[in-house]
Amino acid sequence: MGMRQRAVKTVVLISFLMTGMASAGQAQDVFDPSDAWMDEGDLRYYENVIAQHWEMIEQEQWADIFKNLASEADESNVDWSGAEEVRQRLIDGFNETVGEISRIDSEHNGVYILHLDLLNTGRFAEGAVGQGFVGYNGMSPSIVLCMEGAETAAPCNQSRNPVLTEAQAEDIRYRANAANELLLLLRAEADEVIINAIETSYKRWVNFLDKGFVMFPWEISLNSNLLNWDIRTPPSTQFIFLHPSLAIQVPLDGFTDPVEFRAKEALMIELAGHLWYRGDYFDNFAGVSGTVVLREDLPPGIGFLVRPGRGLAAGLNWHFSANEQKRFIKTPFLSVSVDLFQIISTNRGRLDI
Amino acid sequence: MHILFLIHGMGRQMDGWAEPVTDLLQEKANQYKYFRDGTTLQDQVVFEPIRYDNVFDDLLDRWHDNFSGIMSSEAGPLIPEGKLIDLMDSMDKEEREFFWSHVADVLIYRFFPLYRDRIRIEVIRAIAQKIQHYRDQFGNNTRFSFLAHSLGTAVIHDSLHLLGATEWDDEIANVMGPPHTRFQSLFMLANTSRILQSDIDVTDSIVCPVGGHGDQNREYLDQYVNVFHKYDPITLMWQVNGKSLGSNFQQINLSHFRDVNIHDFNHYLDHPAVHIPLFRTLCGFRSVVPAEQLLAMEAYKDIDRQSVITELQNRIEGAKSNIDEDSTLMDLIKIWVKLKKMVGGDLNIPI
């Protein structure tokens, strides 16, 4: 680099820094991301634009509305010298929107909500460009509002992003913001549908995992491998595998003979089982499992467990007999599975656990 | 108004987890004339913390309640001791606490796909609801950005991809995704999205800045800022490379030491190379003028107690020598546990 070039670069850098420093602390202006600079009385202010076009909005004459926006931008009395190409980009954006809306009108009878894939409703959304410049990335090529003193900072060092006057930048922001608001009005119903769909998915996931039948790590792995789901809907079924839980056992003859009524804790292992979730939000489930029951005072028992609904789980088990002559003890046992988490979480506050 | 979603990293959080982060940002903002003389940071930005650690908590609680209930019952002795119990026995108390409070989150997110999606839907729903809420409150031109740390970077990456790329309704296009909706900026501090990559390919996802894929239908961000610290043990492997993502991907490389916990959220934000681009994104280019930026960068010393730095650097370099291209996530996790003082959220020891 020659001496002269270096000197010029230094002068540019110093003037850039000085300009930047001088503008620090100024009130919000059109080049800042906030909208504090806006004059609500300006005819280009989005609320005024919506009010002007209200009848057309009600009649869904969206293509005509955007044609109006294009011609109003074209007839703008702002001096566009030095940045004519930037204004043209905005007008091109309006015209592209007219083209997309017209296609939905002609091919799909103006049923916008079902054909938003044909319309870019984010084209006029304001964005951040480079380090803090206001811009519109939805337009192609994008529009950047470059201010005096920032010519050397990317992206304002590109010829397609000239420095704009305040009037030019205001014109772009007023008109683009109004267009953005109009498109958000057009698609408002779709926003609502998507947010409701996300809420439905959320409820299903909460019911499936937070309020559903707890899975131990190996069961999560098994179910993850065997089941299909996506973020919209968790699996509607669940496999149970080697699932330990606490059970209370009562011999069936204990119900008729108070002397025989001996409730006893046992370790129940559900060897394998299956659950089905029911309801639009998966708010209930039912299932069956094959079980093994272990107790210190008796040989192991085998049997089954039925879950007719959330929170209910009971089955029968037959314990092997210690007597070599008999395979099983004659009296089967009623086994009630205890969902400890449910009990503890329900009573956590009361029990101060 | 600009809404900044804050997404925490691994470890247990409290409701006010983001206060130290927002306090630091306001303290840093006051170093610059724009914020001292004019509007404050809070006048222009709403900080919106998102929590997802409750999902991990609930799961661990459920396992704990079921296991401890069985273990304390008459049936307890019938349970055989397993490998996990042996592993826990091999750790000291501090390492065990660190494992359950930090590492377990990462393992659950990476290896339990069902719970991974449960966490994602928690975050997706929070973002969708807040967008609706703030648009109602401040108007449709409200801007939204994200500041994520550590595990939170992987969570927000995956959640944003699914929010924008999923066909939530069978008939109606997803207007929460691109090109209909685009977020202003994603700041990723200690980016783990490639380390924890599973079913969503980070290089091909829609969590990409404009120009990154050359297709506006697959570009969800105006800009992506990736902040990498050379000595952060969490991101020793599989760094995010944005070379192919165009000019709206910004890489910030750090090597400063202001805290033993190099990985801490605030240790990243403390550096002017990080908080200045953030302030400019939130409040405009002129919120920190170039002269102030030069001064701040010049004044910010990496550290002045060289002996401590040398020790920390040696530990990291020693850890790095134990990994290579064939190393696994488990190798990396072993390093995290060994270097827990440098990555644990509650072990901050200012140098």
Side-chain angles (χ1 to χ4, degrees), chain B residues 184-233:
Chain B
Q184 302 265 296
S185 199
L186 173 66
F187 276 74
M188 301 284 245
L189 314 182
N191 195 341
T192 60
S193 57
R194 275 200 68 218
I195 296 170
L196 300 176
Q197 176 175 294
S198 49
D199 52 337
I200 300 171
D201 184 347
V202 170
T203 55
D204 196 43
S205 82
I206 66 166
V207 185
C208 155
V210 170
H213 289 324
D215 175 1
Q216 285 209 4
N217 294 321
R218 296 179 57 235
E219 296 162 352
Y220 210 5
L221 306 167
D222 281 326
Q223 68 174 353
Y224 185 131
V225 181
N226 187 50
V227 186
F228 170 73
H229 194 294
K230 186 179 174 186
Y231 296 108
D232 186 339

Side-chain angles (χ1 to χ4, degrees), chain A residues 1-16:
Chain A
M1 187 186 288
M3 194 74 162
R4 186 186 161 85
Q5 275 176 301
R6 215 173 293 151
V8 169
K9 208 169 178 187
T10 309
V11 169
V12 169
L13 180 64
I14 290 170
S15 66
F16 173 53

Side-chain angles (χ1 to χ4, degrees), chain A residues 20 28-29 119 121 126-127 130-131 137-138 180-181 187 199 209-210 212 215 229 232 265 348, chain B residues 34 62-63 65 74 117-118 125 129 140-141 143 167 180 182 184 216 222-223 280 285-286 289:
Chain A
Q28 294 285 324
D29 66 28
L119 174 62
T121 65
E126 273 189 8
Q131 271 204 17
N137 279 317
N180 187 47
E181 291 283 344
R187 73 173 224 206
E199 188 64 23
L209 280 181
D210 300 17
M215 285 182 267
W229 75 91
R232 295 182 301 178
E265 282 179 353
R348 204 176 284 278
Chain B
Y34 175 90
R62 295 185 86 175
W63 287 347
D65 289 346
E74 287 177 21
D117 276 345
R118 169 69 187 88
R125 183 220 190 200
Q129 288 204 330
N140 285 328
N141 277 326
R143 297 143 184 274
E167 291 301 331
H180 305 282
R182 202 168 35 250
Q184 302 265 296
Q216 285 209 4
D222 281 326
Q223 68 174 353
R280 284 178 168 171
F285 179 73
R286 290 197 287 213
V289 298

Side-chain angles (χ1 to χ4, degrees), chain B residues 3 6 12-13 30 57 74 77 107 116 139 173 188 196 214 277 310:
Chain B
I3 313 302
L6 303 165
R12 298 285 82 77
Q13 312 294 328
N30 287 334
D57 282 352
E74 287 177 21
L107 294 177
R116 188 162 62 224
M188 301 284 245
L196 300 176
T310 306

Side-chain angles (χ1 to χ4, degrees), chain A residues 32-300:
Chain A
D32 288 321
S34 97
D35 53 8
W37 58 276
M38 284 190 177
D39 173 7
E40 292 180 14
D42 195 296
L43 287 177
R44 297 166 297 176
Y45 184 61
Y46 72 90
E47 285 184 1
N48 300 329
V49 174
I50 290 172
Q52 284 162 31
H53 291 91
W54 190 246
E55 267 186 40
M56 295 170 80
I57 292 169
E58 286 189 318
Q59 292 167 19
E60 297 202 278
Q61 296 173 343
W62 294 103
D64 290 338
I65 292 172
F66 278 86
K67 279 179 195 165
N68 281 356
L69 297 186
S71 58
E72 284 167 10
D74 198 31
E75 291 159 10
S76 158
N77 54 10
V78 169
D79 177 7
W80 278 97
S81 50
E84 182 59 44
E85 192 208 338
V86 178
R87 178 177 66 155
Q88 191 54 48
R89 253 179 262 162
L90 180 67
I91 294 170
D92 290 347
F94 291 143
N95 288 331
E96 283 173 42
T97 306
V98 170
E100 290 166 357
I101 293 171
S102 299
R103 185 177 165 197
I104 299 175
D105 286 341
S106 61
E107 294 179 11
H108 303 287
N109 296 320
V111 183
Y112 303 109
I113 190 166
L114 296 180
H115 302 285
L116 288 170
D117 52 322
L118 302 176
L119 174 62
N120 181 354
T121 65
R123 177 172 285 126
F124 302 100
E126 273 189 8
V129 186
Q131 271 204 17
F133 292 96
V134 174
Y136 298 89
N137 279 317
M139 278 176 264
S140 186
S142 60
I143 291 177
V144 185
L145 305 188
C146 291
M147 76 285 276
E148 203 177 339
E151 297 89 338
T152 56
C156 297
N157 54 3
Q158 297 171 6
S159 59
R160 71 176 188 196
N161 298 322
V163 167
L164 302 179
T165 64
E166 275 199 29
Q168 290 168 345
E170 275 185 13
D171 205 47
I172 295 279
R173 284 192 80 179
Y174 272 129
R175 295 182 191 284
N177 286 351
N180 187 47
E181 291 283 344
L182 285 163
L183 286 173
L184 285 166
L185 265 180
L186 186 156
R187 73 173 224 206
E189 201 181 331
D191 274 309
E192 203 66 36
V193 169
I194 299 304
I195 285 172
N196 289 341
I198 290 171
E199 188 64 23
T200 297
S201 298
Y202 174 77
K203 284 180 184 167
R204 287 176 182 161
W205 275 102
V206 167
N207 282 329
F208 177 72
L209 280 181
D210 300 17
K211 299 177 182 172
F213 183 64
V214 66
M215 285 182 267
F216 285 108
W218 54 91
E219 292 180 295
I220 298 176
S221 299
L222 180 81
N223 280 296
S224 297
N225 283 309
L226 294 180
L227 301 175
N228 292 317
W229 75 91
D230 63 28
I231 193 69
R232 295 182 301 178
T233 307
S236 58
T237 64
Q238 179 180 327
F239 291 104
I240 299 169
F241 180 64
L242 297 179
H243 185 101
S245 62
L246 190 62
I248 305 294
Q249 281 200 308
V250 181
L252 275 189
D253 57 8
F255 290 101
T256 52
D257 180 359
V259 178
E260 295 296 318
F261 189 91
R262 306 177 303 273
K264 192 87 176 163
E265 282 179 353
L267 172 65
M268 176 184 283
I269 298 172
E270 293 176 59
L271 296 173
H274 200 214
L275 290 173
W276 293 266
Y277 284 79
R278 299 176 300 191
D280 285 347
Y281 300 120
F282 292 7
D283 37 14
N284 208 347
F285 58 79
V288 292
S289 302
T291 59
V292 168
V293 176
L294 304 174
R295 281 170 57 159
E296 282 185 312
D297 59 338
L298 285 176

Side-chain angles (χ1 to χ4, degrees), chain B residues 263-283:
Chain B
H263 180 65
D264 189 56
F265 205 144
N266 277 1
H267 189 245
Y268 277 83
L269 288 175
D270 189 66
H271 203 296
V274 180
H275 63 243
I276 289 176
L278 179 63
F279 292 153
R280 284 178 168 171
T281 297
L282 298 172
C283 304

